[in-house]
Amino acid sequence: MAVGVACGAALAALTAPAAGARPLGQGGAEPAGGVTANSGRGAVHWAVKDTGTPQVRFRGLAAVDRHTAWLAGTGGTVLRTTDGGASWRNVSPPGAADAQFRDVTAFDARRAVVLAIGEGEASRVYRTDDGGTTWTESFRNTDPKAFYDCLTFFDRRHGLALSDPVDGKFRLLSTDDGGRSWRVLPSDGMPPALEGEAGFAASGQCLVASGPRDVWLATGGGAHARVLHSADRGLTWTAADTPIPAGDPAKGVFALAFRDRTHGLAVGGDYRPDQSSPRSAAVSADGGRTWRAAATPPPAYRSGAAWLPHSRTAALAVGPTGTDLTTDGGRSWRTIDTASYDTVACTPDLGCWAAGEQGRVARLER
């Protein structure tokens, strides 16, 4: 079946489930490691894939297509599948067992870049060109004031990595050779950071790009949860407040998703499980210049978001208490699954993947 036809049918099944179908994850037993479909014949659902790594939390996820995905997690762990999650190869960089990988970008089944977070030299970047058989450490942070959170690429050559503020401004690394080398960008065009403001290394989505030059970064911890936008690959920035609550180190915007340079989603809240997260989602229709709160937001903190391919209005948001779906461009959300995921990503062939704690990984299937 043609990809467009297959994707259209699957998307229709997700956004308009059969009459009488139950939401994903509700009703029936939940197997160990996650929730599978119990929502009627033919319904789209998260199908859990066994990674064999229950001790790892995967916050870094790069979906290449329905067959190929890369995971980056705790304990210096990097996994790769090329058969839709039926099997996973441990391709972790040697000597990096102490690394806390939080983000990964994959260009295909062989080429990928991973980011380790932490203070000082704990923040590092590695690149592979042979499917993880060998790795090259292309960046190691030597500034004790820097703490890198996430990275993004505009194309196969040009990318950025984001650090929490250094000397009062967010710091950015830039690469123009696919992550083989990096340089610190000048901060002249970066607005001052708010007191206590930082990024969240929760899902690899605190820095996202759309198109050849536009990039956005998400913040929290300050008096306001903000989204900063650059239209020149990180040289100059403008800042906009969002309605997502902040004012505390645990609160703010945790993830962004832009389906083009105009339409964006922001999700977040308070990551502490004993705290509520009102106004946990916002939407922008002007490239991030202004944001309005979702009329019906997800019911709890969410750390990851992704637009569904071949749709102008449908997207997913994930977090420790479940997955939510919007079919109206982010104005309203409904919970469709109750399993814990930290990050989510989709590809043009509807290869949507999610990953999180206890080695949990799932692919959208029907």
Side-chain angles (χ1 to χ4, degrees):
M1 182 183 293
V3 170
V5 175
C7 289
L11 178 61
L14 177 63
T15 57
R22 292 190 293 269
L24 302 187
Q26 296 184 12
E30 296 183 4
V35 181
T36 54
N38 194 3
S39 52
R41 183 178 179 182
V44 173
H45 63 280
W46 284 129
V48 176
K49 309 297 181 180
D50 183 12
T51 63
T53 57
Q55 76 282 6
V56 179
R57 187 165 196 161
F58 292 113
R59 294 183 183 271
L61 166 65
V64 177
D65 53 37
R66 284 187 56 80
H67 306 289
T68 303
W70 296 69
L71 303 170
T74 54
T77 306
V78 179
L79 304 184
R80 184 192 65 151
T81 183
T82 56
D83 57 12
S87 63
W88 295 86
R89 180 186 172 198
N90 188 327
V91 295
S92 305
D98 61 336
Q100 301 300 307
F101 290 127
R102 294 294 181 93
D103 202 356
V104 54
T105 293
F107 307 112
D108 50 41
R110 296 183 62 80
R111 293 174 287 182
V113 178
V114 295
L115 171 73
I117 69 160
E119 297 178 349
E121 293 190 3
S123 285
R124 310 171 206 163
V125 179
Y126 298 80
R127 175 174 169 122
T128 182
D129 289 293
D130 55 14
T133 300
T134 61
W135 293 86
T136 299
E137 182 183 304
S138 59
F139 172 77
R140 181 176 294 218
N141 175 50
T142 57
D143 189 334
K145 295 179 290 185
F147 186 115
Y148 287 86
D149 298 300
C150 44
L151 55 78
T152 192
F153 276 79
F154 303 93
D155 51 43
R156 291 174 178 261
R157 294 184 58 84
H158 301 91
L160 299 173
L162 170 70
S163 166
D164 289 338
V166 176
D167 298 329
K169 292 185 177 182
F170 283 95
R171 173 172 289 182
L172 287 159
L173 293 177
S174 175
T175 180
D176 59 8
D177 57 10
R180 295 179 178 88
S181 64
W182 299 83
R183 64 183 179 92
V184 176
L185 285 183
S187 62
D188 299 352
M190 177 68 69
L194 304 176
E195 183 178 354
E197 192 174 27
F200 292 108
S203 61
Q205 296 176 327
C206 65
L207 184 72
V208 300
S210 180
R213 305 188 69 82
D214 286 277
V215 59
W216 297 262
L217 70 88
T219 82
H224 306 281
R226 303 196 296 173
V227 173
L228 279 65
H229 170 241
S230 171
D232 55 12
R233 291 184 182 160
L235 293 178
T236 60
W237 296 80
T238 57
D241 291 346
T242 75
I244 294 177
D248 183 280
K251 296 180 180 178
V253 179
F254 282 72
L256 298 169
F258 274 80
R259 66 174 174 83
D260 51 39
R261 66 189 310 265
T262 302
H263 300 89
L265 303 171
V267 300
D270 190 324
Y271 70 73
R272 295 170 293 192
D274 60 339
Q275 299 294 315
S276 62
S277 290
R279 305 196 306 279
S280 59
V283 60
S284 175
D286 56 10
R289 288 190 293 273
T290 61
W291 294 85
R292 67 179 185 276
T296 306
Y301 156 72
R302 293 294 181 253
S303 56
W307 289 92
L308 270 69
H310 312 291
S311 173
R312 298 176 59 84
T313 57
L316 297 169
V318 299
T321 62
T323 299
D324 304 291
L325 170 72
T326 179
T327 56
D328 58 11
R331 291 186 293 275
S332 63
W333 297 82
R334 61 183 175 92
T335 301
I336 60 170
D337 189 277
T338 56
S340 173
Y341 296 104
D342 292 312
T343 187
V344 60
C346 294
T347 60
D349 61 350
L350 207 69
C352 289
W353 298 78
E357 62 184 339
Q358 298 178 346
R360 184 180 295 117
V361 180
R363 190 181 70 171
L364 203 63
E365 297 181 4
R366 62 175 301 176

